[in-house]
Amino acid sequence: MPANILLVEDEPAIQELIAVNLEHAGHHVIRAKDAEGALGIVRNALPDLLLIDWMLPGISGVALARQMRQEDRTKAIPIILLTARSAESDKVAGLEAGADDYVTKPFSPRELLARIKAVLRRRAPQMTDDPVEMGGLRLEPETHRVFGAKRTLELGPTEFRLLHFLMTHAERVHSRAQLLDHVWGDHVFVEERTVDVHIRRLRKALEPSGHDRLIETVRGSGYRLTASPA
Ligand code: CA
């Protein structure tokens, strides 16, 4: 379950310690030392999860979390706040700002990794290794395999990620920009037409079992995966 994690921490030693531990666990870590830096990174590409230190110079971690929650594009990014403050009122303030979880310093790397896993499972099921099933279509993240009506279907890596996202967010219409953000992590440097190309490839890959029917084009809006195609 490797995730792109944006770590916002101003203290170099702590930043290094956390980053090394997360990378050791297989995650990809992008670092920022303040909220402004983090906002710049997020503008270009959405991370899978934000790990934000409460006490930052300038805009505080809580204010950054609140800002993320207010914008449509970033409101669904899972957020964990790191803090040295353990008072109950601080915890409440953090959660009210929109954080999904709250980890008090000092914490063990193991605890942090467990929290990250739990938050991803809850908020971003496409990031976990749990198999997903729908209308006879089964996707297994751990083995990277897809079965349609019990036969193995061949998917490229992008089509696999796209299908994983659609299956874990089924019955909803996703715009091309949203799919770029969630599947490619990037909505600025990748053209929206790219989505159409990969949807076409995905449909072709699902054809042998007839599951290509589950992917609907919603005119003017985007794409939807549905268990009951029209
Ligand atoms: Ca700090």
Side-chain angles (χ1 to χ4, degrees):
M1 186 209 50
N4 290 316
I5 299 177
L6 174 53
L7 168 63
V8 196
E9 164 69 76
D10 60 310
E11 283 156 77
I14 298 177
Q15 189 196 70
E16 178 68 17
L17 183 73
I18 295 174
V20 165
N21 277 295
L22 296 182
E23 277 162 4
H24 188 72
H27 296 298
H28 178 233
V29 182
I30 311 129
R31 307 177 189 202
K33 60 176 171 42
D34 54 28
E36 288 84 355
L39 288 168
I41 290 165
V42 167
R43 219 166 283 135
N44 289 335
L46 288 187
D48 300 313
L49 183 133
L50 271 159
L51 205 52
I52 308 175
D53 183 34
W54 180 303
M55 301 290 278
L56 293 171
I59 302 170
S60 77
V62 180
L64 177 62
R66 198 174 294 122
Q67 195 170 333
M68 291 290 159
R69 285 291 174 261
Q70 277 163 359
E71 284 175 36
D72 259 1
R73 190 174 157 257
T74 53
K75 70 179 178 201
I77 306 176
I79 297 176
I80 296 177
L81 273 176
L82 304 174
T83 181
R85 312 157 70 135
S86 58
E88 194 61 25
S89 59
D90 288 335
K91 182 167 182 171
V92 170
L95 297 176
E96 273 178 355
D100 295 282
D101 205 354
Y102 183 98
V103 181
T104 309
K105 292 176 180 174
F107 48 82
S108 70
R110 219 189 150 120
E111 182 192 355
L112 181 60
L113 286 167
R115 300 287 194 101
I116 289 173
K117 196 168 180 174
V119 166
L120 286 175
R121 176 157 288 160
R122 203 162 72 231
R123 293 290 308 269
Q126 79 277 13
M127 294 304 305
T128 71
D129 286 338
D130 299 340
V132 249
E133 206 155 357
M134 186 178 161
L137 185 65
R138 180 180 170 86
L139 181 145
E140 296 181 356
E142 207 147 344
T143 57
H144 240 260
R145 289 202 291 180
V146 177
F147 302 93
K150 303 226 164 84
R151 61 201 285 181
T152 309
L153 301 172
E154 299 296 333
L155 267 70
T158 305
E159 287 71 52
F160 186 90
R161 285 205 313 276
L162 184 56
L163 181 62
H164 197 185
F165 178 78
L166 290 172
M167 286 182 82
T168 47
H169 299 81
E171 311 299 340
R172 275 172 270 172
V173 181
H174 305 283
S175 71
R176 288 167 179 80
Q178 283 167 342
L179 289 172
L180 282 179
D181 266 342
H182 292 290
V183 179
W184 280 259
D186 194 329
H187 80 138
V188 179
F189 301 110
V190 187
E191 279 186 76
E192 293 200 353
R193 250 189 323 185
T194 304
V195 174
D196 302 328
V197 171
H198 287 280
I199 287 279
R200 207 175 311 135
R201 285 189 197 158
L202 177 57
R203 279 182 170 139
K204 190 141 188 59
L206 299 181
E207 248 174 39
S209 63
H211 285 99
D212 53 311
R213 289 184 316 122
L214 303 193
I215 303 174
E216 294 185 332
T217 304
V218 182
R219 197 171 268 278
S221 306
Y223 296 101
R224 167 175 55 205
L225 188 79
T226 176
S228 44

PDB file of all heavy atoms in Angstrom, residues 166-193:
ATOM      1  N   LEU A 166     -12.200   3.610  -9.542  1.00  0.00           N
ATOM      2  CA  LEU A 166     -13.620   3.586  -9.929  1.00  0.00           C
ATOM      3  C   LEU A 166     -14.404   2.567  -9.104  1.00  0.00           C
ATOM      4  O   LEU A 166     -15.533   2.817  -8.700  1.00  0.00           O
ATOM      5  CB  LEU A 166     -13.755   3.273 -11.421  1.00  0.00           C
ATOM      6  CG  LEU A 166     -13.296   4.378 -12.387  1.00  0.00           C
ATOM      7  CD1 LEU A 166     -13.285   3.875 -13.819  1.00  0.00           C
ATOM      8  CD2 LEU A 166     -14.181   5.623 -12.262  1.00  0.00           C
ATOM      9  N   MET A 167     -13.787   1.405  -8.827  1.00  0.00           N
ATOM     10  CA  MET A 167     -14.493   0.376  -8.052  1.00  0.00           C
ATOM     11  C   MET A 167     -14.685   0.781  -6.593  1.00  0.00           C
ATOM     12  O   MET A 167     -15.668   0.410  -5.970  1.00  0.00           O
ATOM     13  CB  MET A 167     -13.738  -0.961  -8.130  1.00  0.00           C
ATOM     14  CG  MET A 167     -13.882  -1.644  -9.483  1.00  0.00           C
ATOM     15  SD  MET A 167     -13.042  -3.243  -9.531  1.00  0.00           S
ATOM     16  CE  MET A 167     -14.287  -4.314  -8.760  1.00  0.00           C
ATOM     17  N   THR A 168     -13.718   1.523  -6.063  1.00  0.00           N
ATOM     18  CA  THR A 168     -13.856   1.947  -4.663  1.00  0.00           C
ATOM     19  C   THR A 168     -14.670   3.239  -4.549  1.00  0.00           C
ATOM     20  O   THR A 168     -14.950   3.696  -3.446  1.00  0.00           O
ATOM     21  CB  THR A 168     -12.467   2.143  -3.998  1.00  0.00           C
ATOM     22  OG1 THR A 168     -11.635   2.913  -4.862  1.00  0.00           O
ATOM     23  CG2 THR A 168     -11.794   0.811  -3.717  1.00  0.00           C
ATOM     24  N   HIS A 169     -15.007   3.828  -5.695  1.00  0.00           N
ATOM     25  CA  HIS A 169     -15.855   5.030  -5.698  1.00  0.00           C
ATOM     26  C   HIS A 169     -16.936   4.858  -6.753  1.00  0.00           C
ATOM     27  O   HIS A 169     -17.116   5.718  -7.619  1.00  0.00           O
ATOM     28  CB  HIS A 169     -15.027   6.281  -5.979  1.00  0.00           C
ATOM     29  CG  HIS A 169     -13.961   6.530  -4.950  1.00  0.00           C
ATOM     30  ND1 HIS A 169     -12.752   5.872  -4.965  1.00  0.00           N
ATOM     31  CD2 HIS A 169     -13.938   7.331  -3.861  1.00  0.00           C
ATOM     32  CE1 HIS A 169     -12.029   6.268  -3.921  1.00  0.00           C
ATOM     33  NE2 HIS A 169     -12.721   7.149  -3.234  1.00  0.00           N
ATOM     34  N   ALA A 170     -17.602   3.713  -6.685  1.00  0.00           N
ATOM     35  CA  ALA A 170     -18.577   3.357  -7.712  1.00  0.00           C
ATOM     36  C   ALA A 170     -19.857   4.176  -7.596  1.00  0.00           C
ATOM     37  O   ALA A 170     -20.104   4.804  -6.565  1.00  0.00           O
ATOM     38  CB  ALA A 170     -18.903   1.873  -7.618  1.00  0.00           C
ATOM     39  N   GLU A 171     -20.613   4.158  -8.673  1.00  0.00           N
ATOM     40  CA  GLU A 171     -21.931   4.800  -8.763  1.00  0.00           C
ATOM     41  C   GLU A 171     -21.868   6.326  -8.708  1.00  0.00           C
ATOM     42  O   GLU A 171     -22.880   6.992  -8.672  1.00  0.00           O
ATOM     43  CB  GLU A 171     -22.903   4.292  -7.663  1.00  0.00           C
ATOM     44  CG  GLU A 171     -22.999   2.779  -7.527  1.00  0.00           C
ATOM     45  CD  GLU A 171     -23.505   2.072  -8.783  1.00  0.00           C
ATOM     46  OE1 GLU A 171     -24.130   2.737  -9.629  1.00  0.00           O
ATOM     47  OE2 GLU A 171     -23.229   0.873  -8.933  1.00  0.00           O
ATOM     48  N   ARG A 172     -20.674   6.885  -8.680  1.00  0.00           N
ATOM     49  CA  ARG A 172     -20.543   8.342  -8.681  1.00  0.00           C
ATOM     50  C   ARG A 172     -19.912   8.783  -9.990  1.00  0.00           C
ATOM     51  O   ARG A 172     -19.074   8.078 -10.545  1.00  0.00           O
ATOM     52  CB  ARG A 172     -19.630   8.794  -7.540  1.00  0.00           C
ATOM     53  CG  ARG A 172     -20.364   8.966  -6.221  1.00  0.00           C
ATOM     54  CD  ARG A 172     -19.380   9.215  -5.104  1.00  0.00           C
ATOM     55  NE  ARG A 172     -18.954   7.953  -4.495  1.00  0.00           N
ATOM     56  CZ  ARG A 172     -17.984   7.862  -3.596  1.00  0.00           C
ATOM     57  NH1 ARG A 172     -17.327   8.938  -3.214  1.00  0.00           N
ATOM     58  NH2 ARG A 172     -17.670   6.698  -3.074  1.00  0.00           N
ATOM     59  N   VAL A 173     -20.289   9.944 -10.445  1.00  0.00           N
ATOM     60  CA  VAL A 173     -19.695  10.468 -11.675  1.00  0.00           C
ATOM     61  C   VAL A 173     -18.418  11.230 -11.313  1.00  0.00           C
ATOM     62  O   VAL A 173     -18.415  12.057 -10.405  1.00  0.00           O
ATOM     63  CB  VAL A 173     -20.667  11.421 -12.403  1.00  0.00           C
ATOM     64  CG1 VAL A 173     -20.042  11.934 -13.694  1.00  0.00           C
ATOM     65  CG2 VAL A 173     -21.977  10.714 -12.699  1.00  0.00           C
ATOM     66  N   HIS A 174     -17.339  10.909 -12.035  1.00  0.00           N
ATOM     67  CA  HIS A 174     -16.071  11.597 -11.804  1.00  0.00           C
ATOM     68  C   HIS A 174     -15.689  12.368 -13.059  1.00  0.00           C
ATOM     69  O   HIS A 174     -15.673  11.798 -14.152  1.00  0.00           O
ATOM     70  CB  HIS A 174     -14.970  10.592 -11.471  1.00  0.00           C
ATOM     71  CG  HIS A 174     -15.321   9.692 -10.318  1.00  0.00           C
ATOM     72  ND1 HIS A 174     -15.264  10.118  -9.019  1.00  0.00           N
ATOM     73  CD2 HIS A 174     -15.767   8.423 -10.288  1.00  0.00           C
ATOM     74  CE1 HIS A 174     -15.646   9.133  -8.229  1.00  0.00           C
ATOM     75  NE2 HIS A 174     -15.957   8.094  -8.973  1.00  0.00           N
ATOM     76  N   SER A 175     -15.374  13.622 -12.892  1.00  0.00           N
ATOM     77  CA  SER A 175     -14.934  14.416 -14.040  1.00  0.00           C
ATOM     78  C   SER A 175     -13.520  13.994 -14.421  1.00  0.00           C
ATOM     79  O   SER A 175     -12.816  13.346 -13.635  1.00  0.00           O
ATOM     80  CB  SER A 175     -14.964  15.903 -13.701  1.00  0.00           C
ATOM     81  OG  SER A 175     -13.922  16.207 -12.792  1.00  0.00           O
ATOM     82  N   ARG A 176     -13.114  14.362 -15.620  1.00  0.00           N
ATOM     83  CA  ARG A 176     -11.749  14.025 -16.058  1.00  0.00           C
ATOM     84  C   ARG A 176     -10.715  14.648 -15.115  1.00  0.00           C
ATOM     85  O   ARG A 176      -9.710  14.028 -14.773  1.00  0.00           O
ATOM     86  CB  ARG A 176     -11.532  14.500 -17.492  1.00  0.00           C
ATOM     87  CG  ARG A 176     -12.302  13.661 -18.487  1.00  0.00           C
ATOM     88  CD  ARG A 176     -12.344  14.296 -19.862  1.00  0.00           C
ATOM     89  NE  ARG A 176     -13.082  13.454 -20.797  1.00  0.00           N
ATOM     90  CZ  ARG A 176     -14.413  13.423 -20.858  1.00  0.00           C
ATOM     91  NH1 ARG A 176     -15.143  14.190 -20.057  1.00  0.00           N
ATOM     92  NH2 ARG A 176     -15.018  12.627 -21.716  1.00  0.00           N
ATOM     93  N   ALA A 177     -10.962  15.896 -14.698  1.00  0.00           N
ATOM     94  CA  ALA A 177     -10.016  16.573 -13.794  1.00  0.00           C
ATOM     95  C   ALA A 177      -9.920  15.814 -12.467  1.00  0.00           C
ATOM     96  O   ALA A 177      -8.832  15.653 -11.907  1.00  0.00           O
ATOM     97  CB  ALA A 177     -10.457  18.015 -13.559  1.00  0.00           C
ATOM     98  N   GLN A 178     -11.055  15.333 -11.969  1.00  0.00           N
ATOM     99  CA  GLN A 178     -11.037  14.583 -10.703  1.00  0.00           C
ATOM    100  C   GLN A 178     -10.270  13.265 -10.859  1.00  0.00           C
ATOM    101  O   GLN A 178      -9.499  12.879  -9.984  1.00  0.00           O
ATOM    102  CB  GLN A 178     -12.467  14.292 -10.237  1.00  0.00           C
ATOM    103  CG  GLN A 178     -13.133  15.508  -9.621  1.00  0.00           C
ATOM    104  CD  GLN A 178     -14.633  15.326  -9.441  1.00  0.00           C
ATOM    105  OE1 GLN A 178     -15.254  14.457 -10.055  1.00  0.00           O
ATOM    106  NE2 GLN A 178     -15.232  16.167  -8.620  1.00  0.00           N
ATOM    107  N   LEU A 179     -10.483  12.599 -11.983  1.00  0.00           N
ATOM    108  CA  LEU A 179      -9.766  11.339 -12.208  1.00  0.00           C
ATOM    109  C   LEU A 179      -8.261  11.586 -12.316  1.00  0.00           C
ATOM    110  O   LEU A 179      -7.459  10.818 -11.791  1.00  0.00           O
ATOM    111  CB  LEU A 179     -10.297  10.630 -13.454  1.00  0.00           C
ATOM    112  CG  LEU A 179     -11.708  10.044 -13.293  1.00  0.00           C
ATOM    113  CD1 LEU A 179     -12.240   9.544 -14.620  1.00  0.00           C
ATOM    114  CD2 LEU A 179     -11.726   8.920 -12.266  1.00  0.00           C
ATOM    115  N   LEU A 180      -7.883  12.685 -12.965  1.00  0.00           N
ATOM    116  CA  LEU A 180      -6.457  13.017 -13.056  1.00  0.00           C
ATOM    117  C   LEU A 180      -5.873  13.223 -11.669  1.00  0.00           C
ATOM    118  O   LEU A 180      -4.803  12.730 -11.339  1.00  0.00           O
ATOM    119  CB  LEU A 180      -6.247  14.279 -13.899  1.00  0.00           C
ATOM    120  CG  LEU A 180      -6.328  14.113 -15.414  1.00  0.00           C
ATOM    121  CD1 LEU A 180      -6.132  15.457 -16.096  1.00  0.00           C
ATOM    122  CD2 LEU A 180      -5.291  13.117 -15.919  1.00  0.00           C
ATOM    123  N   ASP A 181      -6.598  13.950 -10.848  1.00  0.00           N
ATOM    124  CA  ASP A 181      -6.131  14.220  -9.488  1.00  0.00           C
ATOM    125  C   ASP A 181      -5.984  12.941  -8.668  1.00  0.00           C
ATOM    126  O   ASP A 181      -5.024  12.765  -7.937  1.00  0.00           O
ATOM    127  CB  ASP A 181      -7.111  15.153  -8.766  1.00  0.00           C
ATOM    128  CG  ASP A 181      -6.691  16.613  -8.906  1.00  0.00           C
ATOM    129  OD1 ASP A 181      -5.521  16.868  -9.238  1.00  0.00           O
ATOM    130  OD2 ASP A 181      -7.530  17.498  -8.679  1.00  0.00           O
ATOM    131  N   HIS A 182      -6.979  12.063  -8.786  1.00  0.00           N
ATOM    132  CA  HIS A 182      -6.986  10.897  -7.902  1.00  0.00           C
ATOM    133  C   HIS A 182      -6.196   9.710  -8.429  1.00  0.00           C
ATOM    134  O   HIS A 182      -5.666   8.922  -7.656  1.00  0.00           O
ATOM    135  CB  HIS A 182      -8.427  10.471  -7.596  1.00  0.00           C
ATOM    136  CG  HIS A 182      -9.139  11.474  -6.754  1.00  0.00           C
ATOM    137  ND1 HIS A 182      -8.825  11.688  -5.435  1.00  0.00           N
ATOM    138  CD2 HIS A 182     -10.105  12.368  -7.046  1.00  0.00           C
ATOM    139  CE1 HIS A 182      -9.579  12.659  -4.947  1.00  0.00           C
ATOM    140  NE2 HIS A 182     -10.366  13.090  -5.915  1.00  0.00           N
ATOM    141  N   VAL A 183      -6.142   9.560  -9.727  1.00  0.00           N
ATOM    142  CA  VAL A 183      -5.462   8.387 -10.284  1.00  0.00           C
ATOM    143  C   VAL A 183      -4.036   8.723 -10.729  1.00  0.00           C
ATOM    144  O   VAL A 183      -3.108   7.963 -10.517  1.00  0.00           O
ATOM    145  CB  VAL A 183      -6.280   7.794 -11.449  1.00  0.00           C
ATOM    146  CG1 VAL A 183      -5.570   6.594 -12.053  1.00  0.00           C
ATOM    147  CG2 VAL A 183      -7.679   7.405 -10.972  1.00  0.00           C
ATOM    148  N   TRP A 184      -3.886   9.907 -11.298  1.00  0.00           N
ATOM    149  CA  TRP A 184      -2.553  10.333 -11.750  1.00  0.00           C
ATOM    150  C   TRP A 184      -1.867  11.211 -10.693  1.00  0.00           C
ATOM    151  O   TRP A 184      -0.677  11.408 -10.715  1.00  0.00           O
ATOM    152  CB  TRP A 184      -2.647  11.118 -13.054  1.00  0.00           C
ATOM    153  CG  TRP A 184      -2.798  10.275 -14.281  1.00  0.00           C
ATOM    154  CD1 TRP A 184      -1.808   9.943 -15.167  1.00  0.00           C
ATOM    155  CD2 TRP A 184      -3.992   9.660 -14.785  1.00  0.00           C
ATOM    156  NE1 TRP A 184      -2.327   9.170 -16.178  1.00  0.00           N
ATOM    157  CE2 TRP A 184      -3.649   8.973 -15.971  1.00  0.00           C
ATOM    158  CE3 TRP A 184      -5.320   9.608 -14.330  1.00  0.00           C
ATOM    159  CZ2 TRP A 184      -4.585   8.259 -16.719  1.00  0.00           C
ATOM    160  CZ3 TRP A 184      -6.246   8.898 -15.071  1.00  0.00           C
ATOM    161  CH2 TRP A 184      -5.881   8.232 -16.243  1.00  0.00           C
ATOM    162  N   GLY A 185      -2.677  11.795  -9.786  1.00  0.00           N
ATOM    163  CA  GLY A 185      -2.142  12.686  -8.761  1.00  0.00           C
ATOM    164  C   GLY A 185      -1.774  14.044  -9.332  1.00  0.00           C
ATOM    165  O   GLY A 185      -1.081  14.828  -8.697  1.00  0.00           O
ATOM    166  N   ASP A 186      -2.240  14.311 -10.533  1.00  0.00           N
ATOM    167  CA  ASP A 186      -1.784  15.509 -11.208  1.00  0.00           C
ATOM    168  C   ASP A 186      -2.880  16.032 -12.130  1.00  0.00           C
ATOM    169  O   ASP A 186      -3.419  15.292 -12.918  1.00  0.00           O
ATOM    170  CB  ASP A 186      -0.563  15.120 -12.054  1.00  0.00           C
ATOM    171  CG  ASP A 186       0.211  16.320 -12.539  1.00  0.00           C
ATOM    172  OD1 ASP A 186      -0.413  17.379 -12.769  1.00  0.00           O
ATOM    173  OD2 ASP A 186       1.429  16.194 -12.684  1.00  0.00           O
ATOM    174  N   HIS A 187      -3.232  17.263 -11.999  1.00  0.00           N
ATOM    175  CA  HIS A 187      -4.262  17.787 -12.893  1.00  0.00           C
ATOM    176  C   HIS A 187      -3.736  18.946 -13.724  1.00  0.00           C
ATOM    177  O   HIS A 187      -4.455  19.540 -14.502  1.00  0.00           O
ATOM    178  CB  HIS A 187      -5.499  18.208 -12.108  1.00  0.00           C
ATOM    179  CG  HIS A 187      -5.362  19.544 -11.462  1.00  0.00           C
ATOM    180  ND1 HIS A 187      -6.357  20.483 -11.444  1.00  0.00           N
ATOM    181  CD2 HIS A 187      -4.311  20.112 -10.841  1.00  0.00           C
ATOM    182  CE1 HIS A 187      -5.921  21.564 -10.833  1.00  0.00           C
ATOM    183  NE2 HIS A 187      -4.694  21.361 -10.450  1.00  0.00           N
ATOM    184  N   VAL A 188      -2.466  19.264 -13.526  1.00  0.00           N
ATOM    185  CA  VAL A 188      -1.917  20.419 -14.212  1.00  0.00           C
ATOM    186  C   VAL A 188      -1.101  20.020 -15.441  1.00  0.00           C
ATOM    187  O   VAL A 188      -1.250  20.591 -16.511  1.00  0.00           O
ATOM    188  CB  VAL A 188      -1.026  21.249 -13.252  1.00  0.00           C
ATOM    189  CG1 VAL A 188      -0.442  22.442 -13.985  1.00  0.00           C
ATOM    190  CG2 VAL A 188      -1.848  21.733 -12.076  1.00  0.00           C
ATOM    191  N   PHE A 189      -0.275  19.003 -15.260  1.00  0.00           N
ATOM    192  CA  PHE A 189       0.653  18.667 -16.334  1.00  0.00           C
ATOM    193  C   PHE A 189       0.208  17.503 -17.213  1.00  0.00           C
ATOM    194  O   PHE A 189       0.904  17.103 -18.118  1.00  0.00           O
ATOM    195  CB  PHE A 189       2.045  18.384 -15.759  1.00  0.00           C
ATOM    196  CG  PHE A 189       2.592  19.564 -15.010  1.00  0.00           C
ATOM    197  CD1 PHE A 189       2.734  19.540 -13.636  1.00  0.00           C
ATOM    198  CD2 PHE A 189       2.921  20.730 -15.697  1.00  0.00           C
ATOM    199  CE1 PHE A 189       3.215  20.643 -12.949  1.00  0.00           C
ATOM    200  CE2 PHE A 189       3.407  21.831 -15.013  1.00  0.00           C
ATOM    201  CZ  PHE A 189       3.556  21.796 -13.633  1.00  0.00           C
ATOM    202  N   VAL A 190      -0.963  16.956 -16.891  1.00  0.00           N
ATOM    203  CA  VAL A 190      -1.474  15.875 -17.733  1.00  0.00           C
ATOM    204  C   VAL A 190      -2.750  16.358 -18.403  1.00  0.00           C
ATOM    205  O   VAL A 190      -3.609  16.943 -17.759  1.00  0.00           O
ATOM    206  CB  VAL A 190      -1.769  14.604 -16.896  1.00  0.00           C
ATOM    207  CG1 VAL A 190      -2.121  13.450 -17.803  1.00  0.00           C
ATOM    208  CG2 VAL A 190      -0.570  14.235 -16.027  1.00  0.00           C
ATOM    209  N   GLU A 191      -2.880  16.118 -19.695  1.00  0.00           N
ATOM    210  CA  GLU A 191      -4.063  16.570 -20.439  1.00  0.00           C
ATOM    211  C   GLU A 191      -5.277  15.722 -20.101  1.00  0.00           C
ATOM    212  O   GLU A 191      -5.164  14.522 -19.885  1.00  0.00           O
ATOM    213  CB  GLU A 191      -3.797  16.436 -21.938  1.00  0.00           C
ATOM    214  CG  GLU A 191      -2.997  17.562 -22.526  1.00  0.00           C
ATOM    215  CD  GLU A 191      -2.930  17.401 -24.035  1.00  0.00           C
ATOM    216  OE1 GLU A 191      -3.932  17.700 -24.702  1.00  0.00           O
ATOM    217  OE2 GLU A 191      -1.882  16.936 -24.516  1.00  0.00           O
ATOM    218  N   GLU A 192      -6.449  16.347 -20.117  1.00  0.00           N
ATOM    219  CA  GLU A 192      -7.676  15.626 -19.798  1.00  0.00           C
ATOM    220  C   GLU A 192      -7.952  14.509 -20.807  1.00  0.00           C
ATOM    221  O   GLU A 192      -8.572  13.506 -20.478  1.00  0.00           O
ATOM    222  CB  GLU A 192      -8.861  16.598 -19.730  1.00  0.00           C
ATOM    223  CG  GLU A 192      -8.731  17.554 -18.553  1.00  0.00           C
ATOM    224  CD  GLU A 192     -10.046  18.184 -18.138  1.00  0.00           C
ATOM    225  OE1 GLU A 192     -11.049  17.995 -18.837  1.00  0.00           O
ATOM    226  OE2 GLU A 192     -10.051  18.872 -17.102  1.00  0.00           O
ATOM    227  N   ARG A 193      -7.477  14.695 -22.024  1.00  0.00           N
ATOM    228  CA  ARG A 193      -7.663  13.673 -23.054  1.00  0.00           C
ATOM    229  C   ARG A 193      -7.020  12.345 -22.672  1.00  0.00           C
ATOM    230  O   ARG A 193      -7.442  11.282 -23.112  1.00  0.00           O
ATOM    231  CB  ARG A 193      -7.043  14.154 -24.366  1.00  0.00           C
ATOM    232  CG  ARG A 193      -8.059  14.478 -25.419  1.00  0.00           C
ATOM    233  CD  ARG A 193      -7.353  14.713 -26.718  1.00  0.00           C
ATOM    234  NE  ARG A 193      -6.078  15.395 -26.472  1.00  0.00           N
ATOM    235  CZ  ARG A 193      -5.263  15.825 -27.426  1.00  0.00           C
ATOM    236  NH1 ARG A 193      -5.592  15.657 -28.671  1.00  0.00           N
ATOM    237  NH2 ARG A 193      -4.136  16.435 -27.140  1.00  0.00           N
TER     238      ARG A 193
END
